[in-house]
């Protein structure tokens, strides 16, 4: 049976746009101490490969808050319509359950979820 495999969780700092109330980018590149993979609906798991990017706020205690999808590049593999919303929703639900090591002050970080269908 084909399955979508979460093949990478790339972490990098996020830049802030002028006028936003978001904190600045995280200074350290620490890995999460707890991470949850997104779960996509079974009927959509065969149809794409690509990535979804979320920008999150890491609170001082390491909790993740304020997730926002900032990018998605998903390619349809089965010639059907790609349900981007299902993948984006799955990424948001998963990333709010993540935990990072404590930080000196709130900061923003980008989290990239890469999906690839396995045959």
């Amino acid at each position: 049976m084909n399955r979508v495999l979460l093949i990478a969780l790339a972490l990098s700092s996020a830049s802030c746009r002028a006028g936003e109330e978001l904190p600045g980018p995280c200074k350290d590149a620490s890995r999460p101490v707890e991470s949850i993979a997104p779960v996509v609906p079974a009927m959509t798991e065969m149809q794409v490969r690509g990535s979804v990017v979320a920008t999150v706020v890491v609170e001082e205690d390491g909790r993740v808050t304020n997730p926002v999808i900032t990018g998605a590049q998903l390619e349809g593999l089965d010639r059907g319509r790609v349900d981007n919303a299902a993948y984006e929703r799955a990424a948001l639900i998963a990333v709010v359950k993540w935990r990072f090591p404590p930080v000196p002050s709130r900061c923003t970080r980008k989290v990239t979820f890469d999906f690839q269908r396995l045959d």
Side-chain angles (χ1 to χ4, degrees), residues 13-81:
S13 60
S15 59
C16 292
R17 295 184 188 110
E20 287 185 350
E21 295 182 28
L22 291 175
C26 294
K27 300 284 187 233
D28 68 14
S30 62
R31 297 276 181 206
V33 294
E34 184 177 341
S35 60
I36 307 296
V39 177
V40 295
M43 66 187 315
T44 65
E45 80 175 9
M46 306 294 183
Q47 59 176 292
V48 304
R49 96 173 136 216
S51 62
V52 173
V53 180
T55 298
V56 301
V57 173
V58 178
E59 300 292 336
E60 291 175 343
D61 64 0
R63 288 179 301 115
V64 169
T65 61
N66 303 323
V68 176
I69 299 299
T70 53
Q73 289 189 321
L74 300 170
E75 173 187 358
L77 298 174
D78 296 333
R79 297 184 184 172
R81 185 176 156 271

Side-chain angles (χ1 to χ4, degrees), residues 12 29 34 42 45 56 61 69 87-88 95-96 100 103 106 108 117:
S12 64
E34 184 177 341
E45 80 175 9
V56 301
D61 64 0
I69 299 299
Y87 285 85
E88 292 173 4
V95 79
V96 296
F100 285 88
V103 292
R106 298 172 75 221
T108 57
R117 183 175 80 176

